[in-house]
């Protein structure tokens, strides 16, 4: 949860739901298709603002990846978190390649997990 999303029921209900669904990943994929540009704008951050370098251009997709985007709020299983952690520490792994590709884009937190689960 963040500063824009609030529980509308007792927190114990969320806790119970997650307990009953242990091992599941909750990652909403909003956009995903073979040629998805998925907001592939080059930007830089200065303070709390994002500035686009060339708003009419999109950073090229890696053709071997299926790119996706969606909300930045996710719940991941321990096994997926461990897989990503191991991949981040292994240079050249698929996870490392995805992270390297997505981290320079606008809102990478709304693309990384969605692309990972595809």
């Amino acid at each position: 949860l963040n500063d824009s999303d609030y529980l509308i029921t007792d927190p114990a209900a969320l806790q119970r739901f997650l307990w009953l669904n242990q091992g599941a990943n909750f990652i909403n994929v909003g956009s995903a298709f073979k040629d998805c540009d998925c907001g592939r704008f080059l930007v830089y951050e200065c303070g709390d603002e994002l500035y686009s370098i060339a708003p009419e251009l999109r950073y090229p997709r890696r053709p071997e990846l299926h790119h996706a985007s969606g909300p930045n709020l996710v719940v991941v299983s321990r096994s997926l978190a461990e897989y990503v952690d191991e991949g981040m520490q292994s240079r050249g792994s698929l996870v490392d390649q995805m992270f390297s590709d997505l981290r320079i884009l606008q809102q990478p937190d709304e693309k990384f997990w969605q692309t990972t689960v595809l």
Side-chain angles (χ1 to χ4, degrees):
L1 300 177
N2 64 20
D3 60 349
S4 300
D5 299 295
Y6 304 95
L7 287 174
I8 57 172
T9 188
D10 181 16
L14 176 60
Q15 183 180 22
R16 198 169 27 261
F17 176 81
L18 293 174
W19 177 258
L20 292 172
N21 291 281
Q22 286 185 62
N25 296 300
F26 298 91
I27 301 171
N28 184 2
V29 178
S31 299
F33 45 90
K34 184 169 177 22
D35 297 326
C36 179
D37 283 331
C38 301
R40 297 183 62 78
F41 302 105
L42 288 175
V43 298
Y44 66 95
E45 187 172 354
C46 183
D48 292 335
E49 300 292 324
L50 290 174
Y51 297 95
S52 181
I53 297 168
E56 69 282 359
L57 300 177
R58 303 230 177 177
Y59 190 69
R61 296 179 307 278
R62 288 186 177 204
E64 69 276 10
L65 293 178
H66 288 254
H67 298 276
S69 67
N72 63 347
L73 302 175
V74 300
V75 176
V76 299
S77 63
R78 179 176 298 277
S79 62
L80 179 58
E82 289 171 348
Y83 168 78
V84 168
D85 184 50
E86 289 172 14
M88 293 289 287
Q89 297 185 42
S90 177
R91 269 188 103 51
S93 71
L94 182 58
V95 172
D96 181 57
Q97 290 177 43
M98 285 188 296
F99 183 73
S100 294
D101 179 63
L102 296 170
R103 71 180 174 191
I104 64 169
L105 301 177
Q106 178 182 12
Q107 299 172 313
D109 57 335
E110 295 182 359
K111 296 167 186 61
F112 178 75
W113 291 106
Q114 290 77 7
T115 300
T116 300
V117 297
L118 292 182

